[in-house]
Amino acid sequence: MGIVKLIGWWTVGVFLSITTCVTISNVLGEEVKQTAAWSLSPEEQELISVTNGDILGERDKNGVWDFHLYTTDGYIEMANGELVWVFGYTHAKGSFKDVGEVTTKEQVEQLLEPVKVPSDPIHLFVGEKARITLHNTGMHCADPNSGINHVAHTIHFHGLDLTPSVDGVPSLPVDPVLEHKSFTYELTPQYEGSFMGHCHVDSFNHILAGMYFPIIIHQDRTKTAYGYKYDRDYTLFFSELSATANEQLQEAGVVHGLQDWKADYFLINGRTFTDNLYHPCSVINDPRSRIVAYEDETVLLRFMAIGADHVFAIHPHGYHMEVVALDGRKLKSSYEKDTLCITSGERIDVLVKIPHFASQRKCLSCNLGAGVTIMHDHNLRGMVSTGKYPLGALTIFDVRSKEKVAKPDVPLTEGKPYNPLEH
Ligand SMILES: [Cu+2]
């Protein structure tokens, strides 16, 4: 009962009757369309399956992976309708290609994807060299008199064991990337695992304003991590965001009383849950964050977190998680948890084994059948954004029965014709 109280009976009902039928099919349809639009080669298509649909860098004739990241600012829309000014990394539309130096707001809008928090993951491979070029396009939506204009940025590759020249700490020994300048970081990953990139200039303000992204390093082209096989792979980045502090940076360039910094939003992959299940900005309408899996499958979840002081306590209903790696290193022996604390800078990789459910019962918050269960921050501060509950770090396991896949010609009991995009 306590579980149901957490999100309310109304939400339970709507979950079961609407979400899995309508909203999810729309999102999956969009994913397929997007992949088609990229016109990928068969090899690239295979890699996209390893990266769970995330786009890859370009590969030059010597096999070196090439990424071009651009720093810029802009607005992200939250599920409560608020537009929050952020700055962070982005890339060319639909790719990590080099589109030259970008210096004006018009060029940003024409050539680059809108800024996201966190920005898109970078996928690398062990032993394969990567060149990551950072371009600083400047700020384009800040007050002309704000001190945030013209600031420099870097990329710190958090968790990678690298030489100081590519460590991204300003002037140790490489100067940060000034406005309208660029710098190329070259590295060859040694270890597979889950890592993150973030700016290291004025770190408190730049990171918390939005300058961070996941880095996933694969051992090979198969769906394995740390020697474990998995069927599906989700990266869930938990973070804090203060619209109030960001607004002060946008207007003045300094945050007044930094010791009182407080998160207005607690995010999973840049979004909050909201009781409007149709809202396109909700965490469960993000295919990167809604955990879709079928019976008998093994799901790899890569948790990572960044923030000022919040400790997220990740709690999935209906499943225990097998912790297989901490901070990008395989554990000598795995262990099981159903509540996992994670704080700024940490990465925790877990496997969730979805049982073969004998029944077709749909159930919220129990493991009696395929269906929807929630996973949320049990440190309940993280379930309250802008003073409202449950506007916070909550997503769902959307577990589907294999029976429906095995019999595509049999209409579902709801009377709808079978649509592979829906199931
Ligand atoms: Cu920066």
Side-chain angles (χ1 to χ4, degrees):
M1 177 61 82
I3 288 161
V4 171
K5 275 184 184 168
L6 181 69
I7 60 169
W9 281 109
W10 179 87
T11 309
V12 173
V14 178
F15 262 143
L16 297 182
S17 60
I18 297 174
T19 312
T20 52
C21 298
V22 180
T23 317
I24 287 169
S25 66
N26 291 341
V27 174
L28 291 178
E30 283 306 310
E31 283 173 273
V32 170
K33 273 187 242 161
Q34 196 176 21
T35 307
W38 292 333
S39 349
L40 303 169
S41 70
E43 198 214 0
E44 287 170 323
Q45 188 67 57
E46 193 182 323
L47 284 171
I48 287 281
S49 128
V50 173
T51 64
N52 205 19
D54 292 337
I55 56 171
L56 293 151
E58 305 290 311
R59 267 199 119 177
D60 74 9
K61 60 184 186 323
N62 299 316
V64 178
W65 291 100
D66 205 20
F67 294 84
H68 288 265
L69 299 187
Y70 290 81
T71 66
T72 187
D73 62 339
Y75 294 87
I76 58 170
E77 185 180 350
M78 311 310 293
N80 63 355
E82 182 176 8
L83 290 175
V84 180
W85 179 79
V86 298
F87 56 93
Y89 307 92
T90 186
H91 54 80
K93 287 195 168 150
S95 80
F96 283 100
K97 283 182 182 160
D98 183 5
V99 290
E101 294 313 315
V102 173
T103 57
T104 66
K105 189 175 182 182
E106 291 68 32
Q107 289 173 321
V108 167
E109 288 169 357
Q110 189 191 348
L111 298 170
L112 304 179
E113 295 279 357
V115 69
K116 276 186 218 164
V117 176
S119 47
D120 285 336
I122 280 189
H123 290 263
L124 304 173
F125 294 87
V126 170
E128 297 181 19
K129 186 172 173 180
R131 239 182 249 122
I132 300 161
T133 301
L134 178 63
H135 305 256
N136 183 342
T137 81
M139 301 290 176
H140 307 284
C141 306
D143 187 285
N145 297 316
S146 168
I148 203 67
N149 291 296
H150 319 301
V151 294
H153 302 293
T154 64
I155 303 172
H156 167 64
F157 298 89
H158 180 97
L160 275 68
D161 303 331
L162 299 172
T163 61
S165 61
V166 290
D167 193 46
V169 175
S171 306
L172 275 179
V174 176
D175 286 340
V177 183
L178 299 172
E179 187 183 35
H180 304 162
K181 302 288 182 193
S182 64
F183 178 76
T184 301
Y185 301 86
E186 293 193 359
L187 54 99
T188 304
Q190 291 174 276
Y191 296 95
E192 66 172 318
S194 306
F195 303 92
M196 66 174 81
H198 63 74
C199 182
H200 225 300
V201 175
D202 188 10
S203 304
F204 191 102
N205 287 321
H206 286 216
I207 293 174
L208 294 177
M211 299 198 80
Y212 50 90
F213 58 91
I215 298 174
I216 309 298
I217 301 178
H218 301 270
Q219 185 66 45
D220 54 34
R221 268 63 164 162
T222 63
K223 289 192 173 187
T224 60
Y226 313 101
Y228 296 96
K229 283 189 177 172
Y230 61 83
D231 298 293
R232 293 169 197 273
D233 178 9
Y234 290 91
T235 298
L236 299 176
F237 210 136
F238 290 74
S239 65
E240 296 177 77
L241 179 68
S242 169
T244 313
N246 279 18
E247 194 175 327
Q248 291 176 10
L249 288 174
Q250 182 185 21
E251 290 177 355
V254 289
V255 177
H256 310 295
L258 210 52
Q259 72 278 11
D260 297 323
W261 193 99
K262 277 198 177 68
D264 295 314
Y265 293 94
F266 296 91
L267 308 171
I268 297 177
N269 290 339
R271 293 161 175 242
T272 69
F273 178 76
T274 177
D275 57 3
N276 175 3
L277 298 177
Y278 291 102
H279 200 291
C281 298
S282 163
V283 66
I284 61 162
N285 280 333
D286 178 2
R288 282 183 173 154
S289 310
R290 185 190 62 254
I291 303 157
V292 175
Y294 290 88
E295 292 176 314
D296 277 339
E297 288 188 337
T298 299
V299 181
L300 170 68
L301 300 177
R302 302 173 186 269
F303 298 125
M304 37 190 85
I306 214 156
D309 54 17
H310 187 69
V311 177
F312 293 88
I314 303 165
H315 175 57
H317 291 194
Y319 306 99
H320 266 67
M321 307 174 283
E322 183 184 1
V323 181
V324 295
L326 297 178
D327 293 344
R329 290 293 187 278
K330 181 180 183 176
L331 290 173
K332 290 189 172 60
S333 55
S334 61
Y335 60 93
E336 289 185 297
K337 287 281 283 174
D338 69 14
T339 307
L340 199 53
C341 289
I342 186 168
T343 190
S344 190
E346 287 188 301
R347 288 92 58 219
I348 305 178
D349 294 330
V350 307
L351 297 175
V352 178
K353 293 197 171 67
I354 309 293
H356 180 81
F357 297 112
S359 111
Q360 292 294 298
R361 291 173 61 186
K362 290 193 169 181
C363 173
L364 184 78
S365 302
C366 74
N367 56 3
L368 295 178
V372 171
T373 52
I374 62 170
M375 178 164 69
H376 66 96
D377 186 2
H378 217 292
N379 190 357
L380 295 170
R381 163 70 55 208
M383 288 302 303
V384 175
S385 296
T386 61
K388 294 190 179 67
Y389 172 90
L391 206 71
L394 182 151
T395 186
I396 59 168
F397 278 90
D398 174 11
V399 171
R400 303 169 187 193
S401 167
K402 276 190 174 167
E403 296 297 313
K404 291 173 185 171
V405 178
K407 297 176 185 169
D409 297 323
V410 178
L412 299 179
T413 49
E414 291 85 0
K416 290 187 62 183
Y418 179 81
N419 179 347
L421 292 179
E422 290 183 3
H423 299 285

